[in-house]
Amino acid sequence: MKIAVSSCLLGARIRYDGGHKHDRFITDELGRYAEFVPFCPEHLAFGTPRPTIRLVDAKEKHIVQSNKDGRDLTEQLMQTSRSELEVLEHSSIGGIIFKSKSPSCGMGSAVLYRKNGYAEGKGNGVFAELCKVAFPLLPMEEEGRLLDPWLRENFVMQLFAYDDFERFQSAHPGMNELVAFHQSYKFMLQAKDEKAYRALGNIVANHDKLAFEEVLKHYELLFKRAIAQKSSIGKTRNVLEHMAGFVKNLITPVEKSILHEQIKDYANKIIPLITPLGTLDMFAKKYEVAYLLGQKFLHPYPKELALRSDMRSGR
Ligand code: SF4
């Protein structure tokens, strides 16, 4: 999968002061599974090093102003942002990670100033705003928010599910394949958005007898919106109980009580999600429960990322 990333997060010495903001999780962990497409609209516009810039709130659109002499640099930054966007549009990317707080790359965290110099609030940087409009369904996050284990786990789950859908779609599937794809995402979708899971089921059922291409288009839109939702401990607990239902008549009373104890402990934030999921996975393998073994929720991304081992990955 290809992920577009702010160059400074990849370690490029490209910030206004010639420094970088190398993010080890991105390069060392995600980098094992992704190819990066770097971008830096400010370096393209102003070179490195360069005077800092700020976003000045001007009602309809923000103005980019030099902190050095107050010059309006909006057009220059817009031009390089558009050309960086064009590169991304031709790169088949499956996600974007932005540098937080930057007037170009910040996603909701760029400080907006009033004309009198006081900070007014926060918003999107110039480039992040263009990306949000151009790729409304693409997984996007800031590196700052990815420090939160819950947001990190949800984002990585979204990245891999998005990539999975793209691969699925490019293999020219038919209706049977779509039914199987939907089935394999049952528990992940339920952990994120139960309503969307049901709506997706209705799309797959195709009561209106639409052409398959039409069905797939509807499915894609809703699927990509659903995987962008965040799971919660409450929703995940329901999913775990539901999964337990698939093995309840196969496991011994002792195994059953261990499993339910683990689910309860997970819900009470005593143990991480990986514990009850690992137990369910083991029972599914031991008793050959194909339906559970095919669930993406059991293995949504490479296990080496170990994101579900963190107690703080549930909220
Ligand atoms: S413009 Fe973006 S990529 Fe370039 S240095 Fe600033 S935050 Fe990093």
Side-chain angles (χ1 to χ4, degrees):
M1 104 175 77
K2 283 189 187 171
I3 306 176
V5 184
S6 294
S7 291
C8 55
L9 294 174
L10 298 176
R13 296 186 176 280
I14 212 165
R15 298 191 81 217
Y16 68 95
D17 58 0
H20 61 73
K21 281 284 174 185
H22 191 181
D23 186 293
R24 292 280 171 197
F25 170 70
I26 298 172
T27 59
D28 302 359
E29 304 285 323
L30 279 183
R32 283 189 264 159
Y33 314 101
E35 186 187 323
F36 297 128
V37 182
F39 56 81
C40 181
E42 283 184 32
H43 175 73
L44 270 189
F46 314 118
T48 303
R50 56 186 173 272
T52 53
I53 54 174
R54 60 165 61 186
L55 287 179
V56 180
D57 197 9
K59 294 279 176 271
E60 275 119 55
K61 72 175 185 124
H62 307 321
I63 295 171
V64 179
Q65 209 171 61
S66 165
N67 275 330
K68 191 174 162 203
D69 52 20
R71 262 191 312 147
D72 185 340
L73 301 171
T74 313
E75 205 31 56
Q76 277 155 277
L77 189 61
M78 279 305 286
Q79 257 183 36
T80 55
S81 293
R82 278 192 217 106
S83 83
E84 289 288 56
L85 179 67
E86 220 177 293
V87 174
L88 301 196
E89 281 170 339
H90 291 99
S91 299
S92 316
I93 51 168
I96 309 182
I97 303 178
F98 294 105
K99 168 74 190 78
S100 58
K101 298 180 186 163
S102 150
S104 303
C105 295
M107 200 182 88
S109 63
V111 179
L112 304 176
Y113 290 87
R114 284 191 226 150
K115 289 215 173 77
N116 63 13
Y118 285 105
E120 163 128 273
K122 288 180 182 168
N124 292 327
V126 170
F127 184 60
E129 179 64 29
L130 287 184
C131 289
K132 288 205 92 163
V133 174
F135 309 112
L137 298 171
L138 200 65
M140 291 183 201
E141 257 306 353
E142 294 187 326
E143 102 296 353
R145 281 163 52 89
L146 291 179
L147 293 173
D148 177 325
W150 178 65
L151 294 176
R152 179 181 287 196
E153 210 261 328
N154 273 283
F155 178 64
V156 172
M157 213 178 338
Q158 184 192 1
L159 275 179
F160 279 86
Y162 186 99
D163 182 58
D164 198 29
F165 184 84
E166 294 296 299
R167 284 166 197 270
F168 165 74
Q169 197 171 30
S170 62
H172 308 293
M175 200 43 130
N176 288 345
E177 286 79 22
L178 182 61
V179 170
F181 180 89
H182 179 62
Q183 214 167 61
S184 72
Y185 273 93
K186 174 187 167 81
F187 293 124
M188 186 192 293
L189 290 167
Q190 285 184 322
K192 284 178 169 285
D193 187 340
E194 169 78 38
K195 248 176 150 171
Y197 167 69
R198 286 175 198 277
L200 284 162
N202 282 332
I203 292 174
V204 173
N206 194 17
H207 300 300
D208 297 334
K209 309 262 179 282
L210 300 175
F212 179 68
E213 290 66 35
E214 195 77 4
V215 173
L216 192 58
K217 239 194 290 170
H218 289 310
Y219 190 90
E220 175 181 11
L221 182 68
L222 194 51
F223 178 79
K224 288 182 175 174
R225 281 187 187 150
I227 58 172
Q229 304 302 310
K230 311 278 183 273
S231 59
S232 68
I233 289 180
K235 286 188 276 185
T236 303
R237 180 196 187 146
N238 288 342
V239 163
L240 293 171
E241 301 281 12
H242 199 152
M243 291 172 96
F246 282 82
V247 293
K248 72 172 183 208
N249 295 328
L250 303 167
I251 57 183
T252 66
V254 174
E255 287 173 331
K256 198 186 282 184
S257 97
I258 290 171
L259 178 59
H260 285 289
E261 183 79 16
Q262 288 182 349
I263 294 174
K264 205 169 89 199
D265 286 351
Y266 161 71
N268 290 327
K269 300 187 188 173
I270 298 168
I271 57 172
L273 176 57
I274 194 65
T275 310
L277 268 184
T279 305
L280 274 164
D281 190 33
M282 189 252 292
F283 290 153
K285 282 178 181 143
K286 182 174 171 186
Y287 298 104
E288 296 174 4
V289 186
Y291 191 80
L292 280 189
L293 290 172
Q295 286 299 318
K296 302 283 180 180
F297 190 63
L298 276 179
H299 306 286
Y301 42 75
K303 65 178 179 195
E304 289 74 15
L305 287 169
L307 303 174
R308 289 162 159 182
S309 309
D310 192 326
M311 283 292 298
R312 298 162 304 160
S313 68
R315 191 186 284 176

